[in-house]
Amino acid sequence: VAAIGFVSAPIGAALPYSIAFAASNVLNAFTIVWTIFAISESLPPERREPLVWANVNPLRTIGVLVRSRLFFMLTSSVLFNSASNKGITDISPFVLQQSFGFNSTDIGYLVVALGFIVIFIQAGLIKPLIACLGERGVIIFGIAAGIPYYLGFSALSFDGRRWQAYLLTLLFGGLSTLVFPATSSLFSRNSGEDEQGLVQGALFGAQSLAQAVGGLLFVSLYNLPVARGQAAIAFAAAAAFQIFALIATLCLPKGGKK
């Protein structure tokens, strides 16, 4: 769905900002209504945990994600990977314009190309890759692809060319979308049937927290008061985050359920 949004981005760019934002709000409202009335709870009522306000606290939720070595390492991988990906996404339009000479049309073309790649990965590639490599292997592959992607942008940000940005993005940019579905699947396989909602909710919460922190961190790096090289610093930091995420994933215990 996110990839379809990328592909349709030029349509929004061609409209006045007020209309584009209004259309986005309408789609968000439709999503809320659709979720309430069309999506049913997968867990039968008799197996749902009753709501006890004393148990509604963030510490209990976080505890679910660190209760074993497998969960702790997976959560660490999610935090580093999500923070760097979101932070770089936030600053990428500015980097493309200032370091690679992109204009709004160029950015639109790049986003459309990336959208089609992500659609291909999500619709046709992720399932056979998981069947071949397993969830852990797919996570490693997706994170590892981010390292040359970010290092390449870091090195080229001083005097980059548009074709170089296109090449890096088309080769590596979409592979990061392999990581979170495989991570979610691995969490699900190692959770009990009666705690799927709790674990997946905690996972998405951790991802959202990492994205918020990552956005603040990488925007701050990009605005460092130095003469030049802010983009190189930010992308190098993102590569370091990917390396930390890769190390955490490599430390996952092998085998079946833990």
Side-chain angles (χ1 to χ4, degrees):
V1 175
I4 295 174
F6 288 159
V7 172
S8 62
I11 300 176
L15 298 172
Y17 287 149
S18 59
I19 296 178
F21 280 112
S24 176
N25 289 331
V26 169
L27 288 174
N28 285 330
F30 173 77
T31 302
I32 294 173
V33 174
W34 180 266
T35 302
I36 293 173
F37 293 103
I39 299 180
S40 59
E41 173 61 59
S42 58
L43 196 64
E46 63 273 10
R47 304 203 61 180
R48 299 178 198 172
E49 183 177 343
L51 177 61
V52 179
W53 287 108
N55 294 332
V56 181
N57 66 80
L59 294 179
R60 179 173 181 264
T61 302
I62 293 174
V64 172
L65 297 179
V66 296
R67 68 185 184 190
S68 67
R69 179 187 171 193
L70 173 67
F71 276 30
F72 177 76
M73 290 300 175
L74 269 180
T75 302
S76 301
S77 175
V78 168
L79 293 176
F80 283 113
N81 182 64
S82 299
S84 58
N85 288 342
K86 181 60 167 63
I88 291 301
T89 299
D90 288 347
I91 67 172
S92 286
F94 304 102
V95 175
L96 291 172
Q97 291 179 33
Q98 296 179 11
S99 300
F100 293 87
F102 274 56
N103 55 37
S104 58
T105 302
D106 296 323
I107 293 175
Y109 287 144
L110 183 63
V111 169
V112 169
L114 181 59
F116 279 117
I117 290 174
V118 173
I119 289 174
F120 169 73
I121 290 173
Q122 294 292 316
L125 197 58
I126 189 168
K127 186 174 181 180
L129 275 178
I130 289 179
C132 179
L133 302 176
E135 289 97 341
R136 180 176 180 272
V138 171
I139 297 169
I140 292 172
F141 177 64
I143 293 174
I147 298 174
Y149 177 61
Y150 292 141
L151 288 178
F153 268 101
S154 178
L156 296 171
S157 62
F158 292 99
D159 187 26
R161 301 290 184 268
R162 275 182 283 189
W163 69 267
Q164 294 170 328
Y166 274 107
L167 182 63
L168 280 172
T169 302
L170 297 180
L171 285 178
F172 302 109
L175 295 176
S176 63
T177 61
L178 290 167
V179 175
F180 195 74
T183 302
S184 178
S185 174
L186 195 53
F187 266 109
S188 178
R189 285 202 307 108
N190 288 274
S191 303
E193 183 181 344
D194 59 345
E195 59 179 2
Q196 292 290 329
L198 177 63
V199 171
Q200 294 297 323
L203 173 61
F204 277 90
Q207 183 195 40
S208 298
L209 176 62
Q211 290 174 338
V213 174
L216 292 172
L217 174 61
F218 284 91
V219 168
S220 299
L221 289 175
Y222 187 63
N223 286 282
L224 286 174
V226 295
R228 59 179 308 198
Q230 295 94 332
I233 294 172
F235 276 93
F241 272 47
Q242 293 294 306
I243 292 173
F244 292 144
L246 182 60
I247 292 172
T249 308
L250 291 172
C251 291
L252 289 176
K254 298 180 180 180
K257 293 186 176 183
K258 302 293 180 185

